[in-house]
């Protein structure tokens, strides 16, 4: 699988990238043990790379209102609905790890309504899917349903923002034909040796 190109667009060499972009990629490689293809795919447009990852990190790297696993759940469910193989595979791996459940990512990507999740998480995903697929119909009743499950306005914003951001990300991944790294497929499925 790894012999196919990772993108339809040019993939730059690390040595030719601006220092801040290269440093971010190397830091991710140090932490993960490999470079996720999204970093290399987006690196050929450094300004967009910076903007993408700044917003990604602002949405995904906090624990207020939503857990990190719930944030990944939103990504996996909406990416499945948007037909984004890269995001389902990559964020599915992160969801398995953060939830400590090797089954949940596949369930959420395929049909979150049947997944091993709480009623609160189901309400969260109902809203996220509406934002991802039919945002023009979001109304006050959607907010009321989330508030019944204890979501604050900030948490509701995060659900909507994550769904919206990854709708854009899904489309970029599909346009570029971004290939998931082989490493993602087993992550969180089997115990580390």
């Amino acid at each position: 699988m790894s012999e196919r190109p990772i993108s339809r667009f040019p993939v730059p060499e690390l040595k030719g990238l601006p220092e801040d972009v290269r440093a971010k990629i190397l830091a991710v490689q140090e932490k993960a043990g490999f470079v996720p293809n999204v970093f290399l795919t987006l690196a050929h447009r450094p300004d967009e790379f910076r903007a993408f990852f700044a917003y990604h990190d602002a949405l995904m790297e906090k624990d207020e209102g939503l857990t990190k696993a719930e944030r990944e759940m939103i990504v996996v469910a909406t990416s499945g609905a948007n037909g984004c193989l890269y995001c389902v595979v990559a964020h599915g791996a992160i969801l398995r790890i953060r939830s400590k459940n090797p089954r949940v990512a596949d369930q959420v990507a395929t049909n979150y309504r049947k997944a091993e999740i709480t009623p609160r998480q189901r309400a969260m995903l109902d809203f996220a899917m509406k934002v991802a697929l039919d945002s023009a119909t979001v109304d006050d009743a959607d907010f009321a349903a989330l508030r019944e499950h204890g979501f604050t306005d900030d948490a509701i914003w995060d659900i909507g923002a994550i769904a919206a951001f990854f709708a854009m990300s899904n489309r970029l991944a599909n346009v570029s034909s971004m290939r998931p790294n082989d490493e993602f497929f087993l992550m969180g499925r089997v115990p580390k040796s």
Side-chain angles (χ1 to χ4, degrees):
M1 180 172 169
S2 58
E3 295 188 17
R4 290 186 359 225
I6 67 169
S7 173
R8 286 187 172 111
F9 294 92
V11 177
E13 295 289 326
L14 279 176
K15 66 183 178 213
L17 291 172
E19 180 54 37
D20 63 315
V21 173
R22 184 174 49 252
K24 182 159 182 82
I25 291 172
L26 292 174
V28 168
Q29 181 179 33
E30 176 71 25
K31 183 177 179 182
F34 65 99
V35 178
N37 289 341
V38 65
F39 288 87
L40 298 173
T41 297
L42 296 180
H44 85 284
R45 311 254 329 222
D47 288 341
E48 292 169 40
F49 176 101
R50 291 178 189 103
F52 181 94
F53 286 108
Y55 197 41
H56 172 279
D57 294 353
L59 290 171
M60 301 301 290
E61 296 303 322
K62 60 183 175 181
D63 272 324
E64 301 160 13
L66 306 173
T67 67
K68 288 184 179 179
E70 287 171 335
R71 292 170 189 280
E72 295 297 337
M73 227 177 257
I74 295 166
V75 177
V76 173
T78 60
S79 296
N82 287 322
C84 182
L85 178 64
Y86 184 89
C87 291
V88 167
V89 172
H91 289 274
I94 299 167
L95 174 56
R96 288 189 298 272
I97 291 166
R98 290 192 168 163
S99 68
K100 297 177 178 50
N101 181 342
R103 297 175 305 280
V104 72
D106 296 328
Q107 294 170 358
V108 167
T110 304
N111 184 351
Y112 72 92
R113 291 171 192 90
K114 307 273 187 210
E116 299 170 22
I117 60 176
T118 67
R120 178 182 185 274
Q121 291 167 336
R122 190 165 291 110
M124 173 189 76
L125 294 180
D126 284 341
F127 182 71
M129 294 296 269
K130 193 169 188 180
V131 171
L133 303 174
D134 197 17
S135 63
T137 65
V138 170
D139 60 22
D140 290 342
D142 298 308
F143 280 69
L146 289 169
R147 287 186 183 113
E148 286 177 19
H149 288 278
F151 289 103
T152 64
D153 283 350
D154 283 343
I156 294 169
W157 176 275
D158 284 348
I159 296 166
I162 292 165
F165 177 80
F166 278 92
M168 183 267 303
S169 179
N170 296 158
R171 284 152 181 80
L172 282 174
N174 284 332
V175 165
S176 66
S177 195
M178 196 182 311
R179 181 173 47 82
N181 300 68
D182 293 344
E183 292 88 344
F184 285 128
F185 288 93
L186 292 180
M187 286 174 60
R189 292 188 192 278
V190 293
K192 286 186 177 181
S193 39

